[in-house]
Amino acid sequence: MSKLIVLNHPLINHKLTMIRDKDIQPKVFRETLEEITMLMAYEVTRDLPTEKHLVQTPLAPYEGEQLAGLDPAVIVILRAALGFLPAMLKLLPTAKTGHIGLARDHKTLRPVEYYCKLPGELGQREVILMDPMLATGYSAVAAVDFLKKAGAKKIRFMCLIAAPEGVAVMQEHHPDVDVYTAALDECLNEKGYIMPGIGDAGDRIFGTN
């Protein structure tokens, strides 16, 4: 069974409270989301594999560590997860980036694919899949399906807020994918939105309705 890791950190909690406020402007929302992403990313990447690497300091040789294997792959579910990307690429500047476009059918609450572009050699990379909200779980499950069909074997999922229903769906369909989140909220409402949540993350990032 996959693990649910709730990153309960004072700075994450403080900044998450800020962006839950419905009156925060998109610019401040984006900037604060980037700060939260940086804080979360330290924990999400904590167990990435490393290997020994010899360098020459100004004074002496030194055997340190560097990330092992091929560069990690950072995959965003469009469009809202684009808000995660700048911060992740600051920390992992050589990471390969992929995009999966999934739109929610508001009647069925199921995802509809409209775009998918992934890096090569996914089977040899550590893969971080990102979406701000894990609500029904259907979009995350569909995205992991795409990644596994493309050969990915080591996948971790990162989200800002999760609902218990979405976590259960992920664990049922992909028990090998750990879920990292800043908060586990109460439930979904009748429209499939997380309560209390933050509303539509994409709309709040980009200032749309």
Side-chain angles (χ1 to χ4, degrees), residues 150-187:
K153 297 180 175 64
K154 300 176 183 178
I155 306 168
R156 60 197 74 193
F157 179 77
M158 171 180 163
C159 64
L160 191 64
I161 299 174
E165 296 92 332
V167 173
V169 168
M170 274 290 284
Q171 291 179 333
E172 176 186 355
H173 290 271
H174 295 293
D176 56 331
V177 176
D178 290 339
V179 175
Y180 295 80
T181 185
L184 181 65
D185 275 13
E186 296 172 9
C187 62

Side-chain angles (χ1 to χ4, degrees), residues 6-22 24 29 32-33 35-37 39-40 84 132-133 159-162 181-185 196-198 204:
V6 180
L7 303 177
N8 185 20
H9 186 284
L11 290 179
I12 293 176
N13 296 341
H14 171 79
K15 294 175 186 296
L16 183 57
T17 299
M18 289 176 60
I19 66 172
R20 286 186 191 268
D21 187 338
K22 67 180 181 61
I24 194 173
F29 189 100
T32 309
L33 177 59
E35 293 168 359
I36 296 172
T37 304
L39 293 166
M40 292 184 67
F84 282 144
M133 314 302 285
C159 64
L160 191 64
I161 299 174
T181 185
L184 181 65
D185 275 13
I198 57 172
R204 300 199 64 194

Side-chain angles (χ1 to χ4, degrees), residues 22-160:
K22 67 180 181 61
D23 294 323
I24 194 173
Q25 294 299 307
K27 177 179 182 295
V28 181
F29 189 100
R30 289 192 297 269
E31 292 170 349
T32 309
L33 177 59
E34 183 170 344
E35 293 168 359
I36 296 172
T37 304
M38 295 281 280
L39 293 166
M40 292 184 67
Y42 282 112
E43 295 302 321
V44 174
T45 60
R46 178 176 291 276
D47 62 349
L48 289 181
T50 61
E51 60 189 7
K52 298 294 184 181
H53 183 67
L54 183 65
V55 296
Q56 179 70 39
T57 79
L59 300 176
Y62 173 77
E63 187 176 59
E65 294 183 356
Q66 65 177 13
L67 293 180
L70 297 182
D71 293 327
V74 175
I75 312 297
V76 295
I77 298 178
L78 299 175
R79 65 181 167 139
L82 289 172
F84 282 144
L85 198 53
M88 289 298 294
L89 291 181
K90 283 181 182 178
L91 289 177
L92 295 170
T94 63
K96 307 303 180 186
T97 304
H99 301 79
I100 299 175
L102 296 170
R104 177 191 284 195
D105 184 312
H106 291 286
K107 292 183 179 179
T108 65
L109 302 183
R110 299 283 178 164
V112 179
E113 178 199 355
Y114 63 88
Y115 184 81
C116 186
K117 184 72 171 179
L118 301 174
E121 302 175 293
L122 281 183
Q124 301 177 53
R125 302 183 190 276
E126 298 283 339
V127 177
I128 302 172
L129 174 65
M130 301 184 298
D131 199 13
M133 314 302 285
L134 180 59
T136 64
Y138 299 138
S139 292
V141 166
V144 174
D145 287 340
F146 290 137
L147 292 172
K148 288 184 175 180
K149 287 178 183 177
K153 297 180 175 64
K154 300 176 183 178
I155 306 168
R156 60 197 74 193
F157 179 77
M158 171 180 163
C159 64
L160 191 64

